[in-house]
Amino acid sequence: MERNAALTEKPAAARNSCRLCAPLGASLVFRGIAGAVPLLHGSQGCATYIRRYLIGHFREPVDIASSSFGESAAIFGGKDNLFCALNNIISQYRPSMIGIATTCLSETIGDDVDGYLFDYSVINRKAPPIVHVSTPSYRGSHTDGFHGAVKAVISSLARPALHKHHIALLGGMLSPADLRHLRAVLSAFDMKHILFPDYSDTLDGPSWDEYHTIPPGGTSPADIHRLGGVRAAIELGAMPNYRGGGGSVLRERFNVPVFEAGIPVGVKETDRFFSILERIAGRKTPEYYVKQRGRLIDSYVDGHKYVFGRRVAVIADEDLLVGLVSFLNEIAMVPVICATGSGKTGRLKEALQSVAPEQAAETVVVEEADYETIQTHVTRLAPDCIVGNSKAYPLARALGVPLIRVGFPVHDRVGAQRLRHVGYEGTQALFDRLV
C-alpha cells in the first residue's frame, strides 16, 4: 500500500529512463556515412557508454572518438581538447568526414564549438569536412539526436544540381536488415536512389580478413552532396506537425518535393509507402511485392485466432511506435498503453489517432516515460504481452508476460541487427514472432 502511494507522487527524476542519450543517435548517423568518424565533444565516459550500447546491439566493433574533458576543460572550455582530438583522428584514421556531437558537459558550459571549428579551419585548411550537431541529453532523446544529425549533415554538405536523376530516402532509425530491404525495394522500382544514413554494412558487415579502422560501407560523401539535387525525397517516420528533420532542409533550401510517411510497418503503412514509390516512379508495384502483400494478409487470417483481442503494451521510440500501433490495429490486438521516452510534445496522441482512431480513446499514452511510471500503468492494465526493446525485459518478467523484442536496443539476444520490421516482408517476420 505504501509503495502504491509513493508511486502516485511526481518523482524528482526519471527512474530507469525509457530513452537513451541524444549523442548516441547522432553517432549512429555518422556511422552511416562512408569513411566518417564520430567524435563526442565532452567526457570520455560518454563515448564509452554509447559504444557499449551500439556494440551490444549490433555485435560489431564501434570506434567513437572523444575530446576527453578533464577538470580544466570543464572550467575553461574544451577548445584545446577538441583541436587535439581532431588532429589525432585525421592522422590516425584519415576520415572522409568527422561528425561532432556535443555532450551535456560541453553544452552546459556553453562551448562555442562552431567558433572553434572556424578557427580550426584556418589552422588546418586540408582538414576533411567537419559537421557539428548540438545534442545535449537533457533535451531530447536518441531519436532527436538521430534526426538532428541527419539535418546537420544535409545542411552542411548537400549541394544543388541541375540534372535531377536520383531520389532520396531518409529512412530513420531502423535496423540494418530494414535498410537493406528498403534499398532492394527502391532498386525493384528501377530508381536511382540515395539512402541516408546507411549503416547496413558498417554495423552489420561480413567477416574481415584484416582489420579496418573504418568499416567499409555507408552513404558516400558524393551522394550526400547530391541530396540537394534529387528530384524527390521520402522521409520515413515524420510525425504530424514535425518539420524539423532533414526533409525540411531539402524542401526549404533546395525546393525538393518531400513525401512524408510513417515507418512502413503493417499493410496500411506499407501500402502508403509503395503508393509514394508508384507516384514518383510512374509505374506499378512489382509483382514480387504484390505477392508478398498477399501472403502477409493470408498469414493474418491464419493467425487471427491467436492474437484477436489480446491486450498489449507498446514501448518504443515515437516513429516506430506509431507504425507498430497501426500494425497491431490491423491484427485486432488492443494496445492498452503506448509509452515512449521522447519529450512531451503532444504529437504522439495525434499520430496514434490517425492510424488507429477506434482505439486511441481507450489507450493510455505516456510521453517522456520511465519504466517505473510504465510499471504502475501496466500492473493496472494487465496486458497479455509487451512489444518493446530489451530494457522492458525486467518489466515483462515481473508481470510474467512475453516480451516481443523490437527497435533499439536489443542487447540480450543475438541477431538484433537482422530484426526486420518494415515492408510486407518485415511485417511478416514480426507477425510470425508475435504469434
Side-chain angles (χ1 to χ4, degrees):
M1 181 71 91
E2 292 179 2
R3 175 177 171 79
N4 290 336
L7 289 175
T8 61
E9 299 175 3
K10 185 176 180 180
R15 292 171 288 186
N16 191 9
S17 177
C18 194
R19 65 183 178 89
L20 300 170
C21 72
L24 185 150
S27 297
L28 191 57
V29 172
F30 297 142
R31 286 303 301 262
I33 300 172
V37 173
L39 165 62
L40 299 190
H41 185 48
S43 65
Q44 179 66 46
C46 295
T48 303
Y49 157 78
I50 289 173
R51 288 180 67 250
R52 177 258 178 188
Y53 265 100
L54 292 178
I55 292 171
H57 181 88
F58 293 104
R59 311 286 172 163
E60 295 282 0
V62 177
D63 283 355
I64 297 177
S66 172
S67 56
S68 299
F69 271 41
E71 289 86 351
S72 61
I75 297 171
F76 300 109
K79 181 177 182 179
D80 292 341
N81 292 61
L82 181 61
F83 282 18
C84 180
L86 291 171
N87 289 336
N88 287 338
I89 292 171
I90 293 170
S91 64
Q92 295 181 34
Y93 288 84
R94 304 199 178 281
S96 66
M97 192 202 89
I98 300 174
I100 299 177
T102 41
T103 68
C104 297
L105 180 54
S106 57
E107 290 279 352
T108 300
I109 67 173
D111 250 2
D112 181 14
V113 176
D114 291 330
Y116 295 166
L117 294 179
F118 177 81
D119 293 343
Y120 188 79
S121 68
V122 174
I123 297 170
N124 188 353
R125 296 186 180 277
K126 294 183 178 180
I130 302 172
V131 177
H132 165 234
V133 56
S134 174
T135 51
S137 284
Y138 47 76
R139 185 182 69 232
S141 66
H142 53 289
T143 54
D144 293 301
F146 184 97
H147 292 302
V150 169
K151 181 179 181 180
V153 171
I154 293 175
S155 297
S156 298
L157 302 182
R159 301 288 182 268
L162 294 176
H163 305 290
K164 302 179 184 295
H165 300 298
H166 294 73
I167 73 159
L169 177 60
L170 309 181
M173 195 168 171
L174 301 173
S175 74
D178 283 336
L179 295 179
R180 285 192 289 270
H181 178 65
L182 291 174
R183 277 207 319 247
V185 170
L186 293 172
S187 297
F189 275 88
D190 292 327
M191 289 190 291
K192 291 183 177 179
H193 58 272
I194 300 170
L195 175 62
F196 177 67
D198 183 7
Y199 43 85
S200 60
D201 289 328
T202 60
L203 289 173
D204 187 26
S207 180
W208 298 337
D209 292 329
E210 58 183 29
Y211 181 73
H212 296 270
T213 53
I214 300 177
T219 310
S220 70
D223 276 344
I224 297 175
H225 292 323
R226 293 190 186 99
L227 286 174
V230 295
R231 58 190 178 94
I234 304 172
E235 186 172 29
L236 299 183
M239 299 289 290
N241 301 321
Y242 178 68
R243 299 293 182 268
S248 65
V249 179
L250 296 179
R251 181 190 299 109
E252 295 163 12
R253 185 181 300 180
F254 301 105
N255 201 30
V256 171
V258 179
F259 298 84
E260 291 164 340
I263 300 295
V265 183
V267 173
K268 179 182 175 182
E269 290 298 310
T270 304
D271 282 352
R272 184 180 172 196
F273 173 61
F274 273 86
S275 69
I276 292 172
L277 293 178
E278 289 181 342
R279 179 176 174 184
I280 296 173
R283 55 172 292 185
K284 293 291 186 181
T285 297
E287 186 66 17
Y288 177 81
Y289 295 102
V290 174
K291 289 182 177 179
Q292 275 190 355
R293 183 182 190 275
R295 285 192 291 269
L296 175 60
I297 292 175
D298 182 65
S299 72
Y300 279 9
V301 177
D302 295 339
H304 182 71
K305 61 184 177 182
Y306 301 109
V307 297
F308 174 77
R310 294 285 187 174
R311 298 161 62 83
V312 57
V314 192
I315 307 168
D317 302 330
E318 268 187 329
D319 294 345
L320 180 59
L321 191 150
V322 175
L324 290 170
V325 169
S326 178
F327 159 65
L328 293 169
N329 183 56
E330 291 174 354
I331 61 175
M333 293 189 76
V334 182
V336 292
I337 177 173
C338 294
T340 182
S342 300
K344 294 181 180 179
T345 63
R347 64 178 185 246
L348 178 59
K349 181 168 285 190
E350 179 183 347
L352 295 175
Q353 176 72 31
S354 69
V355 298
E358 64 276 17
Q359 292 182 350
E362 305 296 327
T363 302
V364 175
V365 178
V366 187
E367 296 179 286
E368 208 171 42
D370 61 18
Y371 280 97
E372 193 80 12
T373 303
I374 294 170
Q375 183 168 354
T376 65
H377 288 292
V378 296
T379 301
R380 173 176 58 87
L381 296 168
D384 296 302
C385 66
I386 297 174
V387 174
N389 59 52
S390 290
K391 294 189 74 175
Y393 172 70
L395 176 60
R397 185 172 183 178
L399 294 173
V401 299
L403 170 63
I404 295 84
R405 290 164 176 79
V406 299
F408 180 93
V410 176
H411 48 67
D412 59 344
R413 292 290 186 276
V414 170
Q417 67 273 46
R418 292 180 292 278
L419 286 178
R420 291 172 294 168
H421 312 82
V422 305
Y424 303 122
E425 183 179 287
T427 303
Q428 184 71 77
L430 177 59
F431 180 73
D432 290 345
R433 294 205 313 272
L434 184 61
V435 174

